């Protein structure tokens, strides 16, 4: 599996794309990493071991091709967004899920997302955050069963964004639907409006958060498509893990680019949007359900 | 016709102060419950990722709907020139403000981040009906306060009618907005219909008048018999009957509409037949307790013109009203989203395809009840400070 991504990832103000931002800080992280790398070249003394590792990664990125850089990640490849560019509507990030490649009972994408973004299974599924979940479907007559992942569908016209009173729920120019953690008041109207049950409310205090995926008690959250990774030219964690360790059911890429692998696949084989009657033009599509 | 004079609530006595003290105690307990919820997170409530709006929202919506309806008596007097209601116009406006403040307090205190109220007041997404409602609520408070001012201030009485018209139109828009919070939810089978707006308006008329009658009965002990004389009782009685029938009509249309649409059969069967909670609350709560029993009392003339019977009917109406809002708010969420039509068995850690469980906890119920106590406390306090009540003729 290669060349999932064609075109460039983009973002403004890190993962949030807004003034104040959601705090995911991917741009600032990347920017500071490169600055750290430059410092390292000049001084040879990165401030910390972690800083050195990040600096080295950032340096590798810029050395390969400044501005437009190839990564080789989990069997796919991606192009990083130049750091001084805002997210572009020329790109629309999306995902194609081939349900026939999902093994029964497989939850590797769920685990990968949980590990990457720092949400946990506390044994209270009703109130635990679930950015992605494995759904098992069964047809009683035929006995056919199917497992597939379910997450934010990153709608072109997201109902959660429509109803959010403060504008905390928003869609980035490149189609990624996010929550600005600074302006979410925790009213949960977006959860009432989401046709996919894809959002979680943080019901209890949190510990050990990831700096690139900030979360906060009393606010709402959902799949970010791993925006921090996309902005660095990497694949979402679920896609990377599924490709590396499972059936390769998840394909990520630019839906606006007719030459991207995902667009070609969608053009060649039938795929569906869940709840297509709502005409939300989801960024996540399914095959073989 | 003699000019109506007004007075503050005199002769308050032990019973009045006992009720006020009880409301104050409930408010304090409710604030404690709120602190507990905010400190520990909503994990201590019965709400979860599927029933995202719970008991606080039931009470909040109930009070907000009642608030716009409480203004009805004033509107009939100012807008439609019915002089029989004029003497209650001030009380009606006061009650409208108090109920709205009570409902909004519950709504705000249940937010995941109530400390960010300033964000809700300064950042608006104008496509959101929720954001529009914030404007409508604030506007309602300002307009009704102005409406009360022109009524109570000497020399501005001529503004009463235009202000009354503005307040009446605004309250219709406000309740349309409240109903549309549900009506605009395309994701859920039980909502997503324009009838939610007129249903909420009809409901508001009923709740508002029931609250007005209860305040007259339970706050104005010494003068209630004079205030609620036979003429007033008959008019209130007729209005209650009409409002109950109109709410029943819109409720029937809502359900029949869903029953006609095959796609919505599941949620209707669940709410009206299968669910022991919601079917019981609908048939037993809204229909029998909240509609048929009060209708029986009110239509029976010997009972209907009796103040005690009418007070009892009003209590039944509000109990049925709470059941109605519970079924709409909680029942509508409990039914699963139809994400995978055609598949018989759906399972996941999220509970896809399953009915969502909800068991309210004490803190969230206390928060909800606090809204009612806050509204009643504000009303009681205002009655003792400013002349909202008409002077009974025998006192003059």
């Amino acid at each position: 599996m290669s060349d999932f991504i064609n075109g460039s990832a983009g973002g403004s103000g890190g993962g949030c794309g807004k003034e104040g931002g959601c705090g995911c800080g991917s741009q600032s992280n990347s920017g500071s990493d490169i600055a750290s790398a430059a410092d390292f070249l000049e001084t040879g003394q990165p401030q910390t071991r972690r800083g050195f590792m990040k600096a080295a990664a950032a340096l590798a990125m810029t050395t390969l091709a400044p501005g437009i850089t190839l990564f080789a990640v989990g069997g796919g490849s991606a192009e990083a967004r130049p750091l001084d560019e805002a997210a572009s509507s020329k790109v629309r990030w999306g995902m194609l899920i081939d349900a026939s490649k999902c093994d029964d009972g497989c939850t590797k994408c769920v685990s990968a997302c949980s590990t990457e973004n720092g949400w946990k299974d506390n044994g209270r599924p009703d109130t635990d955050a679930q950015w992605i979940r494995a759904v098992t479907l069964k047809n009683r007559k035929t006995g056919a069963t199917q497992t597939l992942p379910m997450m934010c569908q990153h709608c072109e016209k997201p109902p959660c964004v429509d109803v959010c009173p403060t504008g905390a729920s928003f869609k980035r120019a490149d189609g990624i639907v996010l929550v600005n953690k600074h302006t979410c008041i925790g009213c949960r109207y977006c959860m009432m409006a989401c046709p996919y049950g894809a959002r979680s409310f943080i019901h209890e205090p949190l510990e050990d958060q990831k700096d690139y995926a900030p979360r906060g008690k009393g606010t709402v959250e959902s799949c970010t498509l791993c925006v921090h990774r996309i902005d660095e030219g990497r694949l979402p964690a679920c896609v990377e893990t599924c490709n590396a360790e499972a059936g390769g059911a998840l394909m990520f890429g630019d839906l606006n680019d007719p030459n991207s692998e995902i667009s070609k696949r969608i053009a060649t084989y039938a795929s569906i949007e869940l709840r297509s009657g709502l005409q939300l033009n989801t960024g996540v599509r399914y095959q073989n359900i | 016709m003699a000019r109506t004079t007004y007075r503050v609530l005199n002769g308050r006595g032990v019973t009045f102060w006992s009720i006020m003290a009880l409301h104050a105690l409930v408010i304090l307990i409710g604030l404690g419950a709120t602190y507990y919820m905010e400190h520990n997170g909503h994990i201590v409530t019965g709400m979860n990722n599927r029933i995202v709006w719970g008991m606080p929202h039931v009470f909040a919506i109930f009070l907000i709907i009642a608030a716009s309806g409480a203004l009805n008596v004033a509107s009939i007097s100012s807008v439609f020139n019915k002089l029989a209601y004029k003497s209650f116009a001030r009380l009606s406006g006061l009650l409208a403000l108090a109920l709205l403040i009570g409902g909004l307090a519950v709504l705000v205190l249940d937010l995941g981040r109530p400390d960010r109220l300033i964000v809700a007041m300064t950042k608006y997404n104008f496509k959101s009906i929720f954001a529009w409602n914030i404007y409508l609520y604030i506007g309602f408070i300002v307009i009704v306060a102005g409406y009360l001012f022109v009524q109570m201030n000497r020399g501005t009485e001529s503004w009463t009618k235009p202000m009354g018209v503005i307040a009446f139109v605004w309250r219709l828009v406000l309740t349309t907005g409240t109903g549309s919070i549900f009506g605009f939810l395309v994701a859920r089978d039980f909502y997503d219909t324009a009838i939610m707006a007129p249903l909420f308006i009809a409901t508001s008329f009923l709740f508002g008048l029931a609250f007005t009658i209860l305040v007259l009965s339970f706050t104005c002990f010494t003068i209630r018999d004079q205030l609620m004389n036979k003429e007033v009782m008959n008019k209130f009685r007729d209005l209650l009957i009409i409002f109950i029938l109109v709410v029943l009509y819109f409720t029937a249309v809502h359900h029949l509409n869903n029953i006609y649409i095959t796609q919505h059969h599941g949620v209707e069967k669940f709410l009206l037949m299968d669910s022991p909670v919601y079917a019981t609350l609908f048939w037993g709560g809204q229909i029998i307790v909240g509609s048929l029993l009060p209708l029986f009392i009110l239509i029976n003339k010997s009972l209907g013109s009796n103040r005690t019977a009418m007070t009892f009917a009003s209590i039944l109406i509000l109990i049925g009203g709470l059941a109605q809002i519970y079924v709409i708010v909680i029942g509508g969420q409990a039914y699963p989203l139809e994400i995978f039509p055609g598949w018989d068995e759906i399972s996941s850690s999220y509970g896809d395809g399953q009915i969502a469980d909800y068991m309210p906890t004490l803190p969230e119920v206390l928060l909800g009840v606090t809204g009612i106590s806050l509204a009643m406390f504000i009303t009681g306090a205002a009655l003792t400070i400013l002349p909202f009540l008409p002077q009974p003729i025998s006192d003059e």
Side-chain angles (χ1 to χ4, degrees):
Chain A
M1 189 87 50
S2 63
D3 292 323
F4 279 165
I5 299 179
N6 294 278
S8 60
S12 64
C16 69
K18 280 200 163 182
E19 187 181 347
C22 69
C24 72
S26 57
Q27 183 177 13
S28 58
N29 280 354
S30 303
S32 62
D33 291 345
I34 293 170
S36 299
D39 289 341
F40 172 63
L41 283 177
E42 285 182 15
T43 65
Q45 295 293 324
Q47 291 180 332
T48 62
R49 181 183 299 171
R50 184 165 177 257
F52 171 78
M53 296 304 289
K54 292 169 79 176
L59 185 62
M61 179 176 77
T62 52
T63 304
L64 281 170
I68 303 173
T69 309
L70 275 176
F71 284 79
V73 183
S77 62
E79 290 178 11
R81 169 183 56 82
L83 296 173
D84 56 350
E85 279 185 17
S88 168
S89 58
K90 289 177 184 169
V91 178
R92 182 168 183 217
W93 297 119
M95 196 180 286
L96 180 63
I97 298 167
D98 185 344
S100 67
K101 293 181 179 172
C102 286
D103 294 331
D104 285 350
C106 176
T107 56
K108 288 214 160 98
C109 54
V110 178
S111 303
C113 179
S114 169
T115 304
E116 175 72 19
N117 293 295
W119 56 270
K120 291 177 202 155
D121 174 1
N122 296 315
R124 296 183 283 275
D126 287 347
T127 51
D128 284 345
Q130 299 190 51
W131 290 22
I132 182 172
R133 60 188 189 265
V135 180
T136 302
L137 309 174
K138 183 174 181 183
N139 187 314
R140 281 201 203 111
K141 276 185 192 165
T142 64
T145 61
Q146 196 151 52
T147 297
L148 49 82
M150 183 74 207
M151 73 288 265
C152 172
Q153 303 289 293
H154 296 279
C155 310
E156 183 191 11
K157 295 172 182 170
C160 57
V161 172
D162 288 345
V163 304
C164 176
T166 65
S169 283
F170 70 101
K171 189 184 66 163
R172 218 168 70 152
D174 54 7
I176 302 175
V177 176
L178 297 168
V179 179
N180 182 337
K181 308 300 284 186
H182 294 292
T183 53
C184 175
I185 58 173
C187 71
R188 288 101 81 198
Y189 195 28
C190 59
M191 298 175 75
M192 292 285 281
C194 176
Y196 307 101
R199 295 203 149 190
S200 301
F201 180 69
I202 304 178
H203 286 81
E204 47 193 316
L206 298 169
E207 292 173 348
D208 300 330
Q209 297 190 48
K210 307 285 185 183
D211 58 358
Y212 48 79
R215 309 168 64 215
K217 184 185 76 176
T219 60
V220 174
E221 58 186 16
S222 59
C223 157
T224 64
L225 270 184
C226 284
V227 65
H228 58 286
R229 293 170 67 107
I230 293 174
D231 284 347
E232 292 172 353
R234 299 158 66 201
L235 291 168
C238 57
V239 178
E240 188 178 282
T241 301
C242 184
N243 290 338
E245 301 174 20
L250 310 182
M251 177 180 279
F252 176 80
D254 179 8
L255 297 170
N256 280 353
D257 179 358
N259 295 315
S260 68
E261 192 66 28
I262 190 171
S263 293
K264 287 179 187 168
R265 183 80 72 90
I266 288 170
T268 309
Y269 302 104
S271 62
I272 62 159
E273 297 173 32
L274 296 178
R275 304 197 72 175
S276 57
L278 298 177
Q279 301 194 6
L280 302 174
N281 189 12
T282 56
V284 177
R285 301 181 66 90
Y286 290 80
Q287 284 183 326
N288 297 314
I289 293 185
Chain B
M1 186 158 188
R3 182 189 173 89
T4 309
T5 54
Y6 294 88
R7 51 177 274 185
V8 296
L9 184 63
N10 295 323
R12 295 184 285 272
V14 175
T15 316
F16 174 82
W17 290 117
S18 301
I19 290 178
M20 289 293 277
L22 184 66
H23 285 315
L25 183 65
V26 171
I27 292 167
L28 283 176
I29 293 172
L31 289 175
T34 303
Y35 174 76
Y36 177 69
M37 284 164 56
E38 295 302 334
H39 181 72
N40 293 289
H42 278 59
I43 189 82
V44 298
T45 72
M47 290 176 269
N48 52 54
N49 282 328
R50 293 192 57 205
I51 307 290
V52 301
W53 285 358
M55 279 306 272
H57 302 81
V58 171
F59 278 95
I61 292 163
F62 175 73
L63 287 166
I64 290 167
I65 290 174
S68 55
L71 194 66
N72 192 42
V73 173
S75 300
I76 295 172
S77 133
S78 300
V79 180
F80 301 106
N81 294 319
K82 301 291 184 190
L83 291 175
Y85 298 92
K86 185 171 183 292
S87 51
F88 297 103
R90 292 182 182 184
L91 175 66
S92 158
L94 168 65
L95 194 53
L97 283 181
L99 289 168
L100 185 67
I101 291 169
L104 289 181
V106 175
L107 210 55
V108 168
L109 291 175
D110 177 75
L111 289 176
R113 294 296 303 264
D115 56 311
R116 289 182 178 170
L117 182 62
I118 190 68
V119 175
M121 307 290 279
T122 53
K123 287 186 177 290
Y124 287 101
N125 165 25
F126 288 101
K127 197 176 178 185
S128 167
I129 187 66
F130 218 78
W132 277 97
N133 269 277
I134 293 171
Y135 273 111
L136 292 170
Y137 299 148
I138 294 169
F140 186 81
I141 290 171
V142 171
I143 289 169
V144 175
Y147 181 38
L148 283 173
F149 176 79
V150 297
Q151 287 182 70
M152 300 171 78
N153 182 47
R154 264 184 207 171
T156 53
E157 290 92 341
S158 59
W159 283 89
T160 300
K161 176 147 190 178
M163 282 301 291
V165 171
I166 292 170
F168 179 64
V169 172
W170 196 273
R171 65 122 305 180
L172 290 178
V173 177
L174 183 145
T175 323
T176 302
T178 311
S180 298
I181 286 175
F182 295 94
F184 288 179
L185 289 175
V186 297
R188 298 177 189 269
D189 286 350
F190 192 58
Y191 308 140
D192 186 24
T193 167
I195 206 169
M196 299 306 283
L199 171 64
F200 274 41
I201 289 175
T203 307
S204 77
F205 284 138
L206 182 60
F207 295 178
L209 185 55
F211 261 114
T212 307
I213 291 168
L214 289 185
V215 167
L216 283 171
S217 294
F218 286 109
T219 311
C220 317
F221 294 103
T222 54
I223 53 171
R224 60 189 179 190
D225 288 330
Q226 294 146 300
L227 290 178
M228 296 174 75
N229 57 38
K230 192 144 184 102
E231 184 194 2
V232 170
M233 296 284 285
N234 281 333
K235 287 186 182 301
F236 282 172
R237 170 182 162 274
D238 292 346
L239 282 177
L240 281 179
I241 291 172
I242 291 168
F243 293 157
I244 290 172
L245 292 174
V246 174
V247 171
L248 281 177
Y249 167 75
F250 279 112
T251 302
V253 171
H254 182 202
H255 287 287
L256 287 171
N257 185 53
N258 274 341
I259 288 167
Y260 190 84
I261 300 169
T262 307
Q263 182 187 344
H264 295 167
H265 284 180
V267 71
E268 284 298 326
K269 189 166 177 289
F270 166 66
L271 291 176
L272 301 186
M273 294 170 65
D274 294 348
S275 166
V277 175
Y278 306 108
T280 305
L281 283 173
F282 177 77
W283 293 109
Q286 184 187 350
I287 301 301
I288 295 177
V289 173
S291 305
L292 298 182
L293 275 177
L295 271 180
F296 174 78
I297 293 169
L298 296 166
I299 287 172
N300 185 332
K301 280 215 166 182
S302 61
L303 284 173
S305 298
N306 175 292
R307 186 180 48 74
T308 308
M310 187 178 282
T311 304
F312 183 60
S314 297
I315 292 172
L316 292 178
I317 286 167
L318 292 182
I319 291 171
L322 267 174
Q324 177 189 1
I325 302 299
Y326 191 96
V327 171
I328 291 174
V329 175
I330 313 290
Q333 295 174 81
Y335 190 73
L337 297 165
E338 294 274 6
I339 305 174
F340 306 101
W343 293 88
D344 305 308
E345 286 181 25
I346 305 165
S347 59
S348 74
S349 53
Y350 174 75
D352 286 284
Q354 314 299 317
I355 301 297
D357 291 329
Y358 174 65
M359 180 58 72
T361 62
L362 186 61
E364 61 186 307
V365 176
L366 287 173
L367 172 58
V369 174
T370 295
I372 294 180
S373 280
L374 181 61
M376 293 301 106
F377 187 85
I378 291 171
T379 306
L383 289 177
T384 63
I385 297 168
L386 288 171
F388 285 101
L389 289 172
Q391 181 85 25
I393 292 166
S394 58
D395 283 11
E396 288 178 339

